[in-house]
């Protein structure tokens, strides 16, 4: 996927970090970055905008009507909104302190284009025994071994047979060391120390 570069998620503005406590009012500091001294002008603009639009400054943000919440976040009628501040800061991120500030309010979200599948639309059209590639690597390893057996029964070219044998061999080793519950899509950084050691063991066995 060209949007997420195959990671399945993108880094963007996390409103749960920007507005960490929605029980606070706009006056009480609901918009966390606006509480910083360097953004006093933005805070003043927010107050002026709220008064013009009839948005309460003392009501908890969570209790404001949805359209008012969206106006504060996205901007309206000359007010740039919370996102306007971050759009502005994006133009200044060549400065180290700005990059550090932006990082405090960023989070991961599922890629909007591939929905976490990590592949281009063309690749998602392919099926392996009726399953898409993401469905294959989201299945437990122990469930993929029968899939390989079914594929071996198909008419395959010699190179395809060799590749399939290598895949089946590695899956067999992973299952044999007690990792049959893992999925191929599991990120290595989420594995425990013991799981990593057993994965490395299967790599060594496969090299023999």
């Amino acid at each position: 996927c060209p949007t997420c570069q195959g990671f399945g998620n993108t880094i963007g503005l996390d409103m749960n970090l920007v507005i960490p406590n929605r029980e606070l009012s706009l006056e009480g500091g609901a918009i966390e970055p606006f509480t910083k001294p360097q953004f006093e002008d933005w805070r003043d603009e927010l107050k002026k905008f709220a008064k013009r639009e009839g948005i309460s400054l003392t009501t908890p943000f969570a209790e404001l009507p949805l359209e008012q919440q969206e106006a504060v976040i996205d901007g309206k009628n000359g007010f740039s909104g919370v996102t306007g501040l971050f759009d502005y800061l994006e133009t200044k991120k060549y400065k180290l302190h700005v990059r550090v500030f932006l990082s405090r309010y960023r989070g991961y979200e599922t890629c909007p284009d591939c929905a976490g599948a990590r592949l281009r639309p063309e690749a998602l059209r392919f099926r392996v025994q009726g399953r898409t590639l993401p469905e294959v690597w989201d299945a437990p390893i122990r469930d993929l071994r029968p899939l390989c057996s079914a594929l071996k029964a198909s008419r395959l070219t010699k190179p395809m047979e060799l590749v399939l044998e290598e895949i089946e061999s590695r899956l067999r080793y992973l299952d044999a060391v007690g990792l049959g519950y893992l999925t191929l899509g599991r990120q290595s950084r989420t594995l425990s120390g013991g799981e990593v050691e057993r994965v490395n063991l299967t790599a060594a066995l496969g090299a023999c």
Side-chain angles (χ1 to χ4, degrees), residues 122-140:
E122 311 90 88
L124 292 175
R125 296 193 188 105
F126 286 89
R127 296 288 189 275
V128 180
Q129 293 291 302
R131 303 185 189 184
T132 65
L133 296 178
E135 288 172 340
V136 169
W137 62 57
D138 282 343

Side-chain angles (χ1 to χ4, degrees), residues 26 49-50 53-56 59 61 63-74 76:
L26 295 177
F49 169 71
E53 298 294 324
I55 300 174
S56 173
T59 299
F61 187 82
E63 296 179 15
L64 293 175
L66 182 58
E67 61 270 19
Q68 292 186 355
Q69 294 184 29
E70 292 176 345
V72 170
I73 293 173
D74 298 326
K76 182 181 177 182

Side-chain angles (χ1 to χ4, degrees), residues 6 44 53 65 77 80 115 121 139 142 153 157 162 166 177 182 191 201:
D44 291 342
E53 298 294 324
N77 295 336
S80 299
R142 62 170 62 96
T157 62
L162 293 174
E166 181 64 28
V177 297
L182 292 181
L191 300 177
L201 174 62

Side-chain angles (χ1 to χ4, degrees), residues 108-130:
Y108 289 97
E109 56 185 18
T110 301
C111 177
D113 289 342
C114 70
R118 300 187 288 177
L119 298 176
R120 294 174 178 270
E122 311 90 88
L124 292 175
R125 296 193 188 105
F126 286 89
R127 296 288 189 275
V128 180
Q129 293 291 302

Side-chain angles (χ1 to χ4, degrees), residues 27-80:
E27 183 74 51
I31 312 301
E32 207 275 340
F34 283 10
T35 64
K36 308 302 182 186
Q38 64 267 41
F39 299 116
E40 183 178 355
D41 290 345
W42 286 80
R43 184 168 62 250
D44 291 342
E45 285 299 316
L46 170 61
K47 291 179 180 179
K48 293 176 184 178
F49 169 71
K51 290 178 180 178
R52 288 199 309 269
E53 298 294 324
I55 300 174
S56 173
L57 290 169
T58 57
T59 299
F61 187 82
E63 296 179 15
L64 293 175
L66 182 58
E67 61 270 19
Q68 292 186 355
Q69 294 184 29
E70 292 176 345
V72 170
I73 293 173
D74 298 326
K76 182 181 177 182
N77 295 336
F79 175 62
S80 299

Side-chain angles (χ1 to χ4, degrees), residues 3-4 15 43 85 89 103 106 114 129 157 169 202:
T3 301
C4 65
M15 279 299 159
R43 184 168 62 250
L85 168 63
L89 292 175
S103 69
R106 293 193 184 282
C114 70
Q129 293 291 302
T157 62
S169 172
T202 63

Side-chain angles (χ1 to χ4, degrees), residues 16 35 45 54 72 75 80 88 101 109 111 117 127 135 143 149 153 190 195-196 199-200:
N16 290 322
T35 64
E45 285 299 316
V72 170
S80 299
Y88 166 74
F101 180 84
E109 56 185 18
C111 177
R127 296 288 189 275
E135 288 172 340
D143 292 347
S149 297
T190 67
E195 288 171 335
V196 171
V199 169
N200 292 336

